[in-house]
Amino acid sequence: MAANPNPSPLLTPHQMGNFSLSHRIVLPPLTRSRSYRNIPQPHAVLYYSQRATPGGLLIAEATGISDTAQGYPETPGIWTREQVEAWKPIVDAVHAKGGVFFCQIWHVGRVSSYSFQPNGEAPISSTDKGVTPGLDGGDWSPPRRLRVDEILPIINDFRLAARNAIEAGFDGVEIHGANGYLIDQFMKDQVNDRTDEYGGSLEKRCRFALEVAEAVVNEIGADRVGMRLSPFADFMETGDSNPDALGLYMADALDKCGLVYLHVIEPRMVPTGVNLETPHSLLPMRKAFKGTFIAAGGYRRDDGNKAIEEGYADLIAYGRLFLANPDLPRRFELNAPLNKYDRNTFYIPDPVVGYTDYPFLEVPA
């Protein structure tokens, strides 16, 4: 983008660890269900490169760490050699445009069904309590509670996925600890009913999350690791009785791990609506975490600028707006009209429609 003598706060540079960002507008991980057979496809080259800018941070869609990590159709993985090789041209295309590219690694835990699991087995979780069938349109199957001796291999899957991501060329990884998936299922007391060393007290419930973070940091370095959290959310019936304490504890612990960024979903996104007038509640987490702090959740251009200007966050993630506006930073710079997103095409398998066919802004020469 051309230099602006008086840029808005969102368009000012930011140093995120070793990464020099030219603006503060982030593409967050967005599941698009177009990775057939869990393998990233060539059409993703265009999708991500359309949204890449010099010094802009993009976070790839949630990517499975193993064959037990799946819960949605056609989502990508990064546990096989074929998947690693398939990611390489996508990463190269983002880097060719000067973008910084992280891969979000996840395990869905109990948010799955027999049909997604190896040999039709039960999904794994912190608990044997299942998600209500039909919630969010899913045919969720009753999960199986992980034994303590099975937890370390899952942590190792996260570690190997991080290593694979770096081999594929990604600049780093974001550990998915939000939205009711496996790590969240351990952290939240609405779900975690364990009585062993991974359940009960706040510290024990957060143990799995922090052991994953530590393993990934030890594998690829803290300067390449971020984490996403949603302490205030109850996605997939995963709520907590004291989300403020949970968020603050995790922010402090992850700060001690030296993570390069913390990515947190706003309380105002709970449960489904967005109330932009709700007082900010992420400030304690923001103050506890000394690295780059990313806020997400229903932001518009104006309140994103306000959040940056007031020091509430360092970066702002724009999901649906960036999905529908591949040139979102340019549109924000010009305060130009935005394309409307079509929710009906978010998760269809079409390689073009609702994916790479959103128009760019036509700016007179």
Side-chain angles (χ1 to χ4, degrees):
M1 294 186 302
N4 186 333
N6 297 296
S8 62
L10 282 168
L11 296 171
T12 57
H14 172 72
Q15 191 68 30
M16 186 183 82
N18 296 324
F19 303 102
S20 298
L21 304 181
S22 63
H23 60 80
R24 298 165 184 260
I25 302 163
V26 178
L27 175 72
L30 300 167
T31 292
R32 303 310 314 275
S33 296
R34 289 164 168 89
S35 295
Y36 314 138
R37 298 175 292 113
N38 305 126
I39 299 169
Q41 297 295 307
H43 45 251
V45 171
L46 179 58
Y47 172 74
Y48 282 109
S49 64
Q50 282 180 333
R51 288 155 182 80
T53 54
L57 175 61
L58 279 64
I59 308 169
E61 61 208 273
T63 300
I65 62 167
S66 70
D67 58 357
T68 69
Q70 307 302 308
Y72 296 92
E74 317 296 5
T75 53
I78 199 161
W79 72 89
T80 71
R81 179 57 39 197
E82 185 178 9
Q83 291 164 341
V84 171
E85 293 301 318
W87 273 116
K88 287 181 178 179
I90 303 169
V91 177
D92 288 346
V94 170
H95 284 160
K97 293 186 70 175
V100 176
F101 204 12
F102 274 52
C103 179
Q104 189 191 64
I105 52 177
W106 76 337
H107 193 300
V108 300
R110 68 177 188 164
V111 185
S112 187
S113 61
Y114 301 137
S115 63
F116 286 106
Q117 295 299 308
N119 305 314
E121 296 172 358
I124 57 177
S125 180
S126 62
T127 180
D128 56 10
K129 295 184 298 184
V131 181
T132 301
L135 185 68
D136 200 34
D139 182 24
W140 316 118
S141 302
R144 177 179 68 82
R145 185 194 310 268
L146 283 165
R147 301 187 310 269
V148 170
D149 65 292
E150 295 178 298
I151 291 176
L152 183 58
I154 303 296
I155 294 170
N156 197 48
D157 287 339
F158 274 98
R159 180 185 65 80
L160 292 174
R163 170 52 54 196
N164 287 344
I166 298 303
E167 185 179 337
F170 283 101
D171 297 295
V173 301
E174 175 179 285
I175 301 165
H176 197 345
N179 294 5
Y181 300 117
L182 183 61
I183 291 176
D184 217 17
Q185 291 160 29
F186 272 87
M187 288 192 290
K188 302 285 186 62
D189 61 12
Q190 180 180 335
V191 178
N192 188 336
D193 54 0
R194 305 175 73 95
T195 57
D196 56 27
E197 55 265 48
Y198 289 93
S201 68
L202 174 61
E203 292 77 11
K204 288 182 177 180
R205 285 185 280 115
C206 291
R207 177 176 175 175
F208 176 65
L210 296 174
E211 287 183 345
V212 169
E214 182 180 18
V216 172
V217 163
N218 288 341
E219 183 67 25
I220 65 172
D223 58 335
R224 293 177 177 266
V225 181
M227 192 166 192
R228 194 178 211 207
L229 299 175
S230 59
F232 296 90
D234 59 357
F235 296 112
M236 293 297 170
E237 300 173 328
T238 308
D240 193 80
S241 62
N242 193 343
D244 293 284
L246 172 61
L248 185 57
Y249 178 83
M250 284 298 296
D252 184 64
L254 293 173
D255 184 65
K256 289 181 172 66
C257 289
L259 266 60
V260 71
Y261 74 72
L262 179 58
H263 183 181
V264 189
I265 298 173
E266 282 281 1
R268 64 189 180 191
M269 290 299 291
V270 181
T272 54
V274 179
N275 179 4
L276 295 175
E277 302 308 316
T278 301
H280 291 313
S281 302
L282 299 184
L283 273 175
M285 295 180 69
R286 200 280 195 264
K287 291 175 180 176
F289 187 80
K290 305 303 189 297
T292 292
F293 193 85
I294 307 174
Y299 276 94
R300 303 166 298 193
R301 177 180 180 271
D302 290 347
D303 58 1
N305 277 321
K306 186 171 185 286
I308 299 298
E309 187 174 29
E310 294 180 351
Y312 175 72
D314 297 302
L315 308 174
I316 303 294
Y318 289 91
R320 290 163 293 185
L321 294 187
F322 220 150
L323 180 156
N325 296 272
D327 53 353
L328 186 65
R330 179 66 169 160
R331 289 177 187 256
F332 276 4
E333 179 184 18
L334 300 174
N335 199 14
L338 300 177
N339 299 324
K340 289 185 169 61
Y341 55 82
D342 182 358
R343 193 181 299 275
N344 294 322
T345 62
F346 281 1
Y347 310 113
I348 64 173
D350 195 288
V352 176
V353 176
Y355 191 59
T356 58
D357 60 347
Y358 282 104
F360 284 72
L361 187 67
E362 294 184 10
V363 182

